[in-house]
Amino acid sequence: MIARILKWLMLLQVLAVLGVAYLAMQAWGVASPVAALLLGAAMLLAVRALLVARNFWDSRRLGSPVPAEHQLGAGGAARLFLGELRATLRASSWDMLRPRLAAADITAPGRGLPVLLVHGYVCNRGYWAQLSRRLARAGIAHDGVDLEPIGANIEEFVPQVEQAIAALCARTGSGQVILVAHSMGGLVARAWLRHYGAARVARIITIGTPHHGTALANLAAGKNARQMSRIGGAPSGWLAQLAASETPELRALITSMYSHHDNIVAPQSSARLPGARNLAFGGIGHVALASDARVLRLVLAEITIKNEVARPPSAPHFA
């Protein structure tokens, strides 16, 4: 569904660029068709950049303090903004238009537990394109789930995750999986854990997940947005109930990666989950988290560590 919506939006953007180009030639005296098209594309890019800038403004206004070691100067702030804009454009204008994942190289060394990728709000499996390629090069079997309908209650996504886990286990012959989830996907993974328990999951890695809600969700549409919202500066009732249901043992299964400069999760400290392994970054935006090289290296390291622990003593690694 998301891919179809994005394709229609892409068509509208192309028509908008053509419309501006036509107006430029007819009313603004631009003689060159190429210059007119470039002007239209530049105006579209400016609109997209303004939307990203607005998110950064709101998230900073509602955000938590940035630790001294993650403070950014002018150059770092510029790289943060351009990196998030680039990641947003790539995800929405390419990767999620054709939501495919790379096939694992079964001849590669280091294969271990399969990985299920769980996307966030208003996304699809195409969001994971760059991580998928890294997993494929490492020979790690993986798959993604497309959570639909878009604005459904998060609890409605839980059976979809369960079905995807069952299919991945059946395909690989594994009794356990590792879940890697971005944004809302991390809450879906925790909700799945509450319903189905920890027997079939070795690790849950959340990336930029608003574990305690985000004020920006108050402006978004859908039942899931209401569940991710913050009311009077506190997590929603659904988030509070989810947290209350979790034991220290379940929390210990989770690694939470997040950025102090997240432009969607506000306050940014909402992504820190007590009892979990928390890994903080700076200078990375929300969409860019799952394509940033630093984050991807640590995600692969977390998966590799869990695979080494899970590997039976008779495996070649211990020979």
Side-chain angles (χ1 to χ4, degrees), residues 223-249:
K223 294 178 181 178
N224 45 11
R226 301 283 74 77
Q227 290 169 303
M228 292 187 288
S229 66
R230 289 178 65 84
I231 303 168
S236 70
W238 183 84
L239 285 170
Q241 291 172 4
L242 179 63
S245 72
E246 294 174 329
T247 64
E249 290 75 20

Side-chain angles (χ1 to χ4, degrees), residues 100-103 117 128-137 142:
R100 302 184 184 95
L101 298 178
L117 305 170
W128 296 107
Q130 295 187 58
L131 176 57
S132 175
R133 284 193 288 273
R134 293 203 178 203
L135 292 171
R137 286 196 296 268
H142 61 283

